[in-house]
Amino acid sequence: MVSSINPIPTSVKKLWERWNLRSFILLSLTLQTILILGAPFRKRAPNMAIIFIIWSSYLLADWAANFAIGLISNSQGNARGTGDNNEDLLAFWAPFLLLHLGGPDTITAFALEDNTLWLRHFLGLIFQVIAAIYVFIQSFPTNKLWPSTILLFLAGTIKYAERTRGLYLASLDNFKESMLKKPDPGPNYAKLMEEYSSKKEAKLPTHIELTAERSKESRTVTYVAEPGDMENDIAMVRHAYHFYKIFRGLIVDLIFSFHERFESRAFFQEREAKDAFRLIAIELNFVYEALFTKAVVVHSMRGCIFRAISFTAVSIALGFFYKLEKHDYHKFDVGITYTLLFGALGLDSIALFMLIFSDWTVAALTKSWQKSFVATILKKYLSFKRPSWSENTSCLDWIRQILFRRWYESISTFNLIDYSLKEREKMFPNIFDYPGIAYIKIIDLLGLKDLRDKMKYRHSTPLTRALWEFIFKELQSKSMLADDPETAKRICSARGDWVLQDSDWNSTEHSTFLRYIVEVDYDQSILLWHIATEFCYNMEWSDGDGDGCKISKALSDYMLYLLVMQPTLTSSVAGIGQIRFRDTCAEAKKFFSRRELGSGRSGGDEQQQEACQRILEVNTEVEPVAVKGDRSKSVLFDACILAKKLMDLKEKKWELMSKVWVELLSYTAGHCRANDHVQLLSKGGELVTFVWLLMAHFGIGEQFQINEGHARAKLIVGK
């Protein structure tokens, strides 16, 4: 006879049966609170800890609510496991979980791909509503809480339906469908040709005449900014919303008309750099909220009505429960019920506050409201969202950045020389170095080294006004030349060669540097110019105080960060960038490992300067490919040759490098996929996305149609 052994003690089972449901309901409410308060932070900082917390809460929220509904359904009728006369409360708790499945307004999708799962959520809505109805019917004959349960069931169904509709509208297919214009069959060709044939048969002199298209010169600007609009935060939101309605088509690769291009170019060419940045920041905020939140659903008339019904239903349910005699229920369960009720009202109140003080509400204000008390409050609130452009932030500005800023307001940087110096192997390691070596090998074996490098070597630097103004002026000047789509496409395709066409650069300089731009792959060009910029920056401190030097350094480190740590953003243009980067780092580590370098007590600057000097001392009269062949893709000493040629330009080199970096940045912005730009909006945003949208506003790109409208045909019959 085999004795049965129970691995789980009976006491543990009883504890689980009594507290499992209560724990999961409170966990579900906690996750909803984390999401509604924490989700906005992910668009303000690319902090991996914050993103991980939101990601895990997003995944656990649905699981916890679904699991709790299953527990309620399973526990129905089992009073022993849930407390005395607890069936009514079980039925009352079920609709709260529908509210939680509806999710907060601040996040419907963690990634763009989640929007494509709207059909799964629709089926989930049906089945979870059926489960809640089943629980309610089971308790209905003796349920004293049925009025409150019905009200909460209504509110929960509304919230879950809002989320499902939000996912449906944000899925890229439906997002594109909502922007398509009505089909245009053009002129009635068949009817015109019938008339033409009949006139010909009657032997009447007949011909077809086409009316000429309206020329570019005859077009007039139909959308202008009024004086003072750029200082009025409400007007700024209104202008940004106008262009959002047009340029959201970029996300789904729609083509814009010449009129839309002309209107946008005229508007942005008259703006200052700081005003253009604010407009684009607001515009991208509209894009983010349209694709990752419930904003489109709740900011409609129908959405406001349903939201009012939902809030009212929860409030009335709280009143009913408060007046109910509760002696038959366990005190702790009553406390949980009050927690759920006040939690639901609290979350709805936060959502209401965010709804009122959102850019969508401001954009919907009519001119009659813009001098009201409400507009005054909104202006004050919107003033906190302005970018500070300050490198030295005070405590109040730090709080503003955390709570109110629309995006990160900084750029991420990564430096190859710094990385290679810190990752190099010592020729004679001591006993204390071996744990670190073993640690690196273990995380490399687990495939976590890239994550570790991103956490350790990615740095942030504020986006300065000087840097943005330089980028803006470069693109603005090119926009002046982009009168026709062909020129606009050539400018968009330039990655440094357009700069060398300037008359300031002679033919020798043009041919010298052109081979490092267009005669190499794009990723190779980034690596070459990044290392060359680093050599020039570290070796010529006397020239390193100007804006050109700082701009070149910032863009150089930023572009390498995009190449190495955001491969999805540059995958369509980067080629074999990862292989070339690894080979270059390997050669740099090998070079540094065989030489004793200073300790670099001042933050590593002296050590980097010495490392750059050691590389530049190497004789490079013979091309590296002639010595090493092309098996290794390293470009370390090719960049050394480029740096020496740049140093020959003396003070002109920073002007050239800064302009080349802007073109490389513009090339990345214009050639990577639109949905990759949008995806990064949920992770703090990127400067390259701002440049992408600015280029579109300046009419620089390939998404503009050549002809506008169609010609009008007239049948001319002679006498």
Side-chain angles (χ1 to χ4, degrees):
M1 183 175 180
V2 180
S3 60
S4 60
I5 300 175
N6 190 352
I8 303 177
T10 305
S11 60
V12 176
K13 281 187 175 181
K14 288 183 178 180
L15 184 66
W16 168 256
E17 290 173 357
R18 181 164 187 82
W19 294 105
N20 58 3
L21 175 58
R22 295 163 177 81
S23 300
F24 275 94
I25 285 180
L26 292 176
L27 173 63
S28 181
L29 179 62
T30 302
L31 292 172
Q32 294 299 311
T33 306
I34 292 173
L35 286 175
I36 196 170
L37 296 176
F41 288 97
R42 67 179 183 144
K43 67 177 180 178
R44 297 178 187 139
N47 187 291
M48 297 188 69
I50 293 175
I51 292 173
F52 176 77
I53 291 171
I54 296 169
W55 172 74
S56 56
S57 299
Y58 177 81
L59 294 181
L60 287 172
D62 285 356
W63 171 78
N66 284 318
F67 189 74
I69 288 180
L71 289 174
I72 291 175
S73 179
N74 187 55
S75 301
Q76 191 72 27
N78 186 6
R80 183 179 59 184
T82 57
D84 297 333
N85 300 319
N86 204 44
E87 293 184 5
D88 292 357
L89 281 181
L90 288 179
F92 189 47
W93 288 349
F96 283 105
L97 298 168
L98 281 178
L99 280 170
H100 297 171
L101 285 169
D105 290 359
T106 53
I107 180 170
T108 54
F110 183 82
L112 276 179
E113 294 78 9
D114 294 327
N115 292 316
T116 61
L117 303 177
W118 67 268
L119 187 57
R120 179 186 297 181
H121 284 271
F122 178 69
L123 294 175
L125 169 63
I126 295 174
F127 287 118
Q128 296 302 342
V129 167
I130 292 173
I133 292 174
Y134 169 76
V135 171
F136 175 71
I137 292 175
Q138 287 289 95
S139 67
F140 184 70
T142 58
N143 192 341
K144 295 184 293 185
L145 291 169
W146 68 267
S148 300
T149 305
I150 292 176
L151 288 170
L152 280 174
F153 177 78
L154 174 64
T157 304
I158 289 174
K159 291 294 287 292
Y160 203 164
E162 283 178 351
R163 181 185 183 184
T164 304
R165 178 161 175 77
L167 292 169
Y168 170 79
L169 294 176
S171 62
L172 293 183
D173 289 341
N174 294 304
F175 192 77
K176 183 176 184 178
E177 186 69 26
S178 66
M179 289 182 290
L180 293 177
K181 300 176 181 178
K182 292 182 179 180
D184 184 6
N188 194 332
Y189 176 78
K191 182 180 178 182
L192 183 67
M193 292 308 296
E194 286 177 3
E195 295 181 1
Y196 177 78
S197 299
S198 64
K199 301 299 182 184
K200 280 289 187 181
E201 290 175 359
K203 296 183 179 181
L204 295 174
T206 307
H207 68 278
I208 296 175
E209 184 177 295
L210 296 177
T211 58
E213 285 291 333
R214 186 177 50 163
S215 65
K216 291 185 296 183
E217 290 74 12
S218 65
R219 295 183 184 126
T220 57
V221 178
T222 57
Y223 188 84
V224 295
E226 297 179 2
D229 275 1
M230 297 300 104
E231 301 302 322
N232 186 332
D233 291 293
I234 292 180
M236 290 287 281
V237 173
R238 190 176 69 249
H239 291 310
Y241 182 72
H242 170 80
F243 288 109
Y244 156 74
K245 296 289 285 184
I246 298 172
F247 284 88
R248 58 181 176 166
L250 286 170
I251 303 167
V252 287
D253 301 321
L254 289 183
I255 300 297
F256 304 103
S257 69
F258 248 113
H259 175 72
E260 291 167 336
R261 178 180 185 269
F262 180 76
E263 181 180 88
S264 176
R265 283 182 70 219
F267 186 88
F268 275 82
Q269 283 174 354
E270 295 179 359
R271 306 280 76 82
E272 295 182 6
K274 62 182 181 66
D275 297 329
F277 182 86
R278 289 174 60 201
L279 284 166
I280 292 173
I282 300 170
E283 196 173 342
L284 289 175
N285 187 61
F286 280 121
V287 173
Y288 166 81
E289 293 188 344
L291 295 176
F292 297 100
T293 73
K294 292 182 182 177
V296 175
V297 176
V298 299
H299 283 89
S300 63
M301 181 61 70
R302 185 185 304 171
C304 291
I305 292 173
F306 280 115
R307 181 53 56 88
I309 294 172
S310 174
F311 187 84
T312 304
V314 177
S315 301
I316 296 174
L318 173 62
F320 282 161
F321 185 76
Y322 177 76
K323 293 181 180 180
L324 183 72
E325 194 68 34
K326 294 178 279 290
H327 295 298
D328 295 336
Y329 305 117
H330 196 282
K331 289 185 178 179
F332 189 79
D333 290 343
V334 172
I336 289 178
T337 307
Y338 273 123
T339 301
L340 291 172
L341 284 165
F342 283 112
L345 284 177
L347 294 178
D348 276 357
S349 299
I350 294 172
L352 179 62
F353 175 84
M354 292 180 174
L355 186 148
I356 294 173
F357 290 93
S358 73
D359 292 337
W360 299 81
T361 303
V362 175
L365 287 179
T366 59
K367 289 188 176 182
S368 60
W369 280 83
Q370 291 182 17
K371 294 185 179 180
S372 64
F373 178 70
V374 175
T376 304
I377 296 176
L378 288 174
K379 283 181 182 178
K380 186 64 178 177
Y381 178 77
L382 290 173
S383 66
F384 292 118
K385 295 189 174 186
R386 290 188 177 189
S388 60
W389 300 108
S390 175
E391 298 184 33
N392 300 316
T393 56
S394 62
C395 181
L396 287 177
D397 190 65
W398 181 76
I399 294 173
R400 179 203 68 79
Q401 290 184 7
I402 292 177
L403 297 179
F404 298 106
R405 65 182 178 185
R406 289 189 172 91
W407 88 294
Y408 187 35
E409 296 183 6
S410 295
I411 59 174
S412 299
T413 60
F414 178 69
N415 188 272
L416 186 142
I417 300 297
D418 175 64
Y419 173 77
S420 300
L421 280 170
K422 293 178 180 177
E423 290 292 308
R424 75 187 191 277
E425 295 180 0
K426 294 183 179 179
M427 288 189 65
F428 305 103
N430 56 48
I431 192 171
F432 298 106
D433 295 325
Y434 286 106
I437 295 172
Y439 165 71
I440 295 296
K441 290 186 179 297
I442 291 172
I443 64 170
D444 195 17
L445 184 64
L446 296 173
L448 299 175
K449 190 173 184 302
D450 289 341
L451 179 63
R452 174 253 186 190
D453 290 344
K454 185 177 290 187
M455 296 175 66
K456 184 176 180 179
Y457 294 108
R458 186 196 70 82
H459 303 289
S460 295
T461 182
L463 176 64
T464 62
R465 178 177 290 188
L467 174 56
W468 174 253
E469 286 181 347
F470 183 78
I471 295 171
F472 179 84
K473 289 177 181 177
E474 283 294 300
L475 294 176
Q476 188 181 42
S477 63
K478 292 177 182 177
S479 172
M480 300 292 187
L481 305 174
D483 287 331
D484 56 274
E486 290 76 15
T487 306
K489 289 179 182 179
R490 288 201 302 272
I491 292 174
C492 184
S493 299
R495 48 188 179 99
D497 49 308
W498 190 275
V499 174
L500 294 173
Q501 294 176 9
D502 195 293
S503 58
D504 292 341
W505 308 102
N506 58 47
S507 58
T508 303
E509 293 169 341
H510 181 278
S511 58
T512 299
F513 297 111
L514 197 63
R515 58 175 296 221
Y516 295 99
I517 295 173
V518 297
E519 296 180 15
V520 294
D521 293 337
Y522 178 72
D523 59 276
Q524 185 175 355
S525 181
I526 290 178
L527 282 170
L528 284 168
W529 285 86
H530 168 79
I531 299 171
T533 302
E534 192 65 17
F535 288 159
C536 294
Y537 180 80
N538 281 283
M539 296 309 299
E540 300 192 18
W541 294 96
S542 59
D543 296 337
D545 298 329
D547 285 342
C549 172
K550 295 177 182 178
I551 289 169
S552 299
K553 170 67 173 172
L555 290 180
S556 169
D557 290 351
Y558 176 65
M559 288 301 296
L560 190 69
Y561 158 78
L562 291 182
L563 180 69
V564 177
M565 297 188 175
Q566 294 293 351
T568 57
L569 194 65
T570 57
S571 60
S572 60
V573 294
I576 56 172
Q578 293 292 321
I579 298 174
R580 191 169 275 120
F581 167 75
R582 289 171 182 265
D583 288 353
T584 304
C585 286
E587 185 172 21
K589 292 175 190 176
K590 185 178 180 180
F591 182 87
F592 297 145
S593 296
R594 296 183 177 182
R595 288 159 176 80
E596 289 294 330
L597 299 174
S599 59
R601 295 184 183 127
S602 61
D605 290 340
E606 293 178 3
Q607 191 179 45
Q608 284 183 233
Q609 186 178 8
E610 183 182 353
C612 293
Q613 184 175 358
R614 292 286 185 90
I615 295 176
L616 288 170
E617 289 172 354
V618 174
N619 187 345
T620 55
E621 291 181 7
V622 181
E623 293 282 342
V625 69
V627 178
K628 302 191 306 177
D630 60 353
R631 179 176 179 180
S632 173
K633 303 300 179 184
S634 173
V635 297
L636 181 64
F637 289 100
D638 295 277
C640 179
I641 297 172
L642 172 60
K644 292 176 181 178
K645 293 178 179 179
L646 286 168
M647 290 177 186
D648 292 338
L649 295 178
K650 304 300 182 182
E651 66 278 358
K652 291 175 62 178
K653 63 179 177 295
W654 294 118
E655 178 188 355
L656 173 63
M657 282 192 284
S658 59
K659 292 186 176 183
V660 166
W661 278 120
V662 171
E663 283 199 14
L664 288 170
L665 175 62
S666 304
Y667 186 85
T668 300
H671 287 81
C672 65
R673 293 169 298 188
N675 56 347
D676 289 327
H677 280 297
V678 175
Q679 193 77 269
L680 289 174
L681 292 178
S682 63
K683 299 177 183 178
E686 291 288 354
L687 172 63
V688 67
T689 303
F690 277 69
V691 173
W692 166 66
L693 194 53
L694 179 63
M695 289 171 64
H697 283 308
F698 275 143
I700 303 173
E702 301 178 358
Q703 62 277 353
F704 301 98
Q705 66 183 32
I706 297 176
N707 296 315
E708 180 180 9
H710 52 73
R712 297 295 176 183
K714 291 183 179 180
L715 189 64
I716 308 298
V717 181
K719 295 182 180 180

